[in-house]
């Protein structure tokens, strides 16, 4: 299997992104429970915010891009929701046994950047490669189109965990949960595999941070890098919620975008032994 | 499937294991008296794992509402969430502080005698407004009478396990 091509100069791309202001904040979701033993339809509540902190509130977000998948894979509507000044909140009722997937996925946004004039003035337009072709000035140089997407996900299991919602489709950026999210245990290795259009994302930086950074000196961040198969493996040391994040930058298909940037966040709980 | 055939297999296995299958295990669990206005009886689970950490037998479950079963974190993850029939068979109401003697015939959840070897006995207790305690002891099955003691923890008193008990 051929690996997804990594950008030669990731730093250059990041620098460009900082200036865009487009979806600069990672968006995380944190449910009230990740595992339940209830018999009947039980409600859980979820915090959602755009923030650079680990489970700290900063800005509310639109919940329009949140999709709830029931254990058999059908979609479900959310219950009550609220958008405050610092966070958004929504409730969801779990009527089925098994594992639910809750995903916040923004549509891919395209940005084409270029330089013009004798002073290399930087410009950008929100357009994919095809749209940009007719919009670019004739003298545009160093034209690069980037596709950007935010994905945030968590899983919640009622009684025995199931795997239907974990199945990968081979489309876009995906996390293949080799370890079921309800089986992440302190002191035991957990493994995840990352792909783009089904092909492994190689040498992608992944970080994992346990909750509560505000109340300890060390961030206790674990830095990982995907192997040639797109995998990472780690052993949680602390029980409780964790945030796994990937800021993946790689080559696009060359038709709509030259580069792809995905900001991925996965909230999970490490269960005590 | 042919009933006679199944019975035949059962008999062969029974004979094969008869030398040690009669060794039962006694587990004495003590729930300490804890003072305070917010005392509610703990949820308690007792079970046995093999040397791979797989649950082979549930021995006791004292609980009230299913919502809080998950608070016995290890028990819930290892066996509770799968809702096996052997759990129903050993379920009962929560108990007040005191000592309780549980006896286990050495059979697994399917009613088959376990092979001799190393196993572990686990006791987990979780209490509302209280703590969660999980303790365990490795035991040898099929090697005669032996005594094991587990030190007291926040929610559990001293636990005594005796293997090789003649029923």
């Amino acid at each position: 299997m051929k690996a997804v091509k990594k950008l030669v100069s990731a730093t250059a791309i990041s620098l460009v992104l900082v200036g865009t202001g487009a979806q600069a904040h990672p968006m995380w979701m944190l449910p009230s429970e990740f595992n339940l033993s209830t018999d009947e339809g039980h409600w859980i509540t979820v915090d959602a915010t755009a923030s650079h902190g680990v489970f700290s509130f900063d800005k509310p977000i639109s919940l329009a891009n949140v999709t709830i998948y029931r254990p058999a894979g059908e979609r479900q509507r959310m219950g009550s929701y609220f958008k405050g000044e610092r966070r958004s909140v929504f409730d969801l009722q779990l009527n089925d046994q098994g594992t639910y997937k809750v995903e916040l996925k923004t549509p891919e946004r395209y940005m084409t950047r270029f330089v013009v004039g004798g002073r290399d003035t930087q410009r950008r337009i929100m357009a994919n490669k095809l749209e940009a072709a007719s919009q670019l000035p004739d003298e545009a140089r160093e034209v690069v189109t980037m596709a950007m997407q935010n994905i945030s996900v968590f899983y919640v299991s009622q009684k025995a965990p199931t795997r239907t919602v974990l199945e990968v489709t081979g489309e876009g950026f995906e996390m293949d949960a080799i370890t079921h999210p309800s089986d992440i245990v302190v002191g035991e290795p957990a493994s995840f595999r990352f792909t783009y259009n089904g092909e492994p994302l190689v040498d992608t930086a992944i970080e994992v941070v346990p909750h509560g950074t505000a109340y300890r000196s060390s961030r206790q961040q674990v830095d990982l890098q995907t192997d040639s198969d797109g995998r990472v493996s780690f052993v949680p040391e602390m029980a409780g919620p964790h945030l796994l994040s990937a800021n993946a930058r790689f080559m696009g298909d060359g038709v709509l975008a030259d580069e792809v940037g995905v900001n991925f966040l996965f909230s999970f709980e490490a269960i005590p032994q | 499937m042919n009933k006679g055939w199944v019975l035949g297999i059962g008999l062969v296995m029974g004979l094969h294991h008869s030398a040690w299958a009669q060794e039962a295990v006694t587990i004495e669990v003590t729930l300490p008296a804890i003072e305070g206005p917010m005392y509610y009886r703990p949820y308690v689970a007792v079970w046995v794992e093999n040397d791979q950490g797989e649950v082979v037998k549930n021995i006791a479950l004292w609980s009230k509402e299913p919502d809080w079963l998950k608070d016995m974190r290890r028990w819930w993850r290892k066996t509770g969430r799968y809702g096996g029939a052997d759990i129903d068979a050993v379920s009962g109401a929560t108990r007040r502080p005191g000592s309780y003697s549980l006896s286990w015939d050495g059979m697994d959840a399917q009613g088959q005698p376990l092979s001799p070897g190393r196993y572990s006995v686990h006791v987990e207790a979780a209490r509302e407004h209280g703590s969660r305690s999980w303790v365990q002891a490795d035991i040898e099955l099929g090697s005669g009478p032996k005594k094991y003691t587990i030190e007291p923890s926040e929610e559990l008193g001293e636990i005594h396990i005796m293997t090789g008990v003649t029923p």
Side-chain angles (χ1 to χ4, degrees):
Chain A
M1 197 185 294
K2 113 179 129 68
V4 176
K5 264 195 178 167
K6 207 189 162 202
L7 286 166
V8 180
S9 172
T11 322
I13 304 308
S14 305
L15 284 174
V16 171
L17 275 181
V18 168
T20 66
Q23 320 228 352
H25 283 55
M27 299 190 289
W28 58 252
M29 294 186 286
L30 181 65
S32 52
E33 285 95 9
F34 288 94
N35 291 288
L36 293 162
S37 56
T38 41
D39 268 342
E40 288 163 19
H42 190 79
W43 286 94
I44 63 165
T45 186
V46 182
D47 287 324
T49 183
S51 149
H52 285 292
V54 175
F55 303 131
S56 64
F57 303 121
D58 193 356
K59 293 177 165 56
I61 57 172
S62 163
L63 298 174
N65 295 318
V66 174
T67 310
I68 299 160
Y69 298 92
R70 289 159 62 187
E74 320 97 312
R75 292 176 181 212
Q76 174 180 320
R77 294 170 79 93
M78 65 176 61
S80 306
Y81 56 92
F82 159 80
K83 190 173 178 184
E85 300 300 328
R86 299 285 304 280
R87 65 171 167 170
S88 301
V89 176
F90 63 95
D91 294 344
L92 76 106
Q93 191 173 27
L94 311 179
N95 289 308
D96 301 338
Q97 292 190 10
T99 302
Y100 284 70
K101 174 182 182 177
V102 181
E103 185 179 56
L104 191 167
K105 193 175 195 173
T106 62
E108 279 190 321
R109 300 172 76 245
Y110 295 90
M111 186 195 72
T112 298
R113 61 176 189 272
F114 55 93
V115 297
V116 289
R119 294 182 190 174
D120 286 347
T121 309
Q122 295 208 11
R123 294 267 168 80
R124 60 171 185 262
I125 51 176
M126 298 311 289
N128 65 35
K129 273 179 86 76
L130 297 177
E131 295 160 351
S134 60
Q135 297 175 27
L136 285 170
D138 292 340
E139 67 274 28
R141 305 186 305 278
E142 296 171 37
V143 181
V144 179
T145 302
M146 181 157 197
M148 297 174 294
Q149 190 170 36
N150 279 305
I151 303 172
S152 180
V153 68
F154 72 87
Y155 300 85
V156 51
S157 297
Q158 181 154 250
K159 298 218 163 150
T162 53
R163 293 201 71 97
T164 304
V165 296
L166 297 174
E167 284 167 14
V168 291
T169 63
E171 284 170 31
F173 180 98
E174 289 183 291
M175 181 183 76
D176 184 2
I178 297 160
T179 300
H180 192 291
S182 287
D183 283 324
I184 303 173
V185 182
V186 171
E188 295 182 11
S191 301
F192 300 92
R193 184 168 177 263
F194 297 90
T195 58
Y196 186 71
N197 291 338
E199 288 172 1
L201 282 167
V202 179
D203 292 338
T204 299
I206 306 283
E207 60 175 62
V208 181
V209 186
H211 75 304
T213 50
Y215 308 108
R216 61 176 183 257
S217 302
S218 167
R219 184 172 164 88
Q220 293 185 247
Q221 173 171 327
V222 176
D223 291 299
L224 307 161
Q225 199 171 32
T226 55
D227 65 13
S228 58
D229 190 36
R231 285 185 193 227
V232 291
S233 192
F234 59 94
V235 179
E237 291 178 4
M238 278 175 72
H242 286 62
L243 199 56
L244 177 153
S245 57
N247 221 336
R249 299 280 179 269
F250 44 90
M251 301 291 286
D253 58 7
V255 179
L256 292 178
D258 306 301
E259 299 169 357
V260 179
V262 175
N263 201 323
F264 175 78
L265 292 177
F266 164 47
S267 309
F268 65 90
E269 99 177 320
I271 304 169
Q273 276 184 308
Chain B
M1 207 191 287
N2 183 311
K3 266 188 185 171
W5 184 79
V6 174
L7 185 67
I9 297 286
L11 278 173
V12 171
M13 290 181 73
L15 286 172
H16 176 67
H17 295 304
S18 60
W20 44 270
Q22 289 162 3
E23 288 188 5
V25 177
T26 303
I27 303 162
E28 195 180 280
V29 175
T30 299
L31 303 182
I34 295 170
E35 298 298 318
M38 299 289 265
Y39 180 83
Y40 296 98
R41 296 175 187 180
Y43 283 31
V44 177
V46 183
W47 72 98
V48 180
E49 295 181 9
N50 63 18
D51 59 359
Q52 302 300 305
E54 297 158 346
V55 175
V56 293
K57 177 68 179 169
N58 275 283
I59 292 175
L61 171 65
W62 302 336
S63 67
K64 197 172 173 193
E65 291 165 39
D67 303 34
W68 318 115
L69 290 176
K70 66 173 170 55
D71 295 342
M72 290 181 284
R73 304 304 301 264
R74 185 182 180 91
W75 175 81
W76 178 249
R77 174 171 62 85
K78 289 271 182 177
T79 179
R81 65 190 186 179
Y82 302 110
D86 70 317
I87 299 174
D88 288 340
V90 299
S91 296
T94 54
R95 307 288 178 95
R96 59 170 60 91
S99 288
Y100 301 91
S101 186
L102 303 163
S103 70
W104 169 45
D105 58 9
M107 304 288 180
D108 68 11
Q110 286 74 44
Q112 299 296 325
L114 286 166
S115 328
R118 178 163 295 235
Y119 294 85
S120 51
V121 171
H122 298 252
V123 183
E124 188 167 13
R127 186 169 58 88
E128 192 175 3
H129 301 293
S131 297
R132 170 248 190 188
S133 290
W134 161 57
V135 294
Q136 68 155 98
D138 286 341
I139 60 164
E140 286 291 333
L141 280 190
S143 56
K146 272 187 192 166
K147 286 181 178 179
Y148 304 86
T149 302
I150 303 176
E151 294 301 307
S153 48
E154 267 188 282
E155 297 295 337
L156 292 164
E158 199 167 77
I159 293 166
H160 299 281
I161 301 165
M162 199 185 300
T163 59
V165 177
T166 312

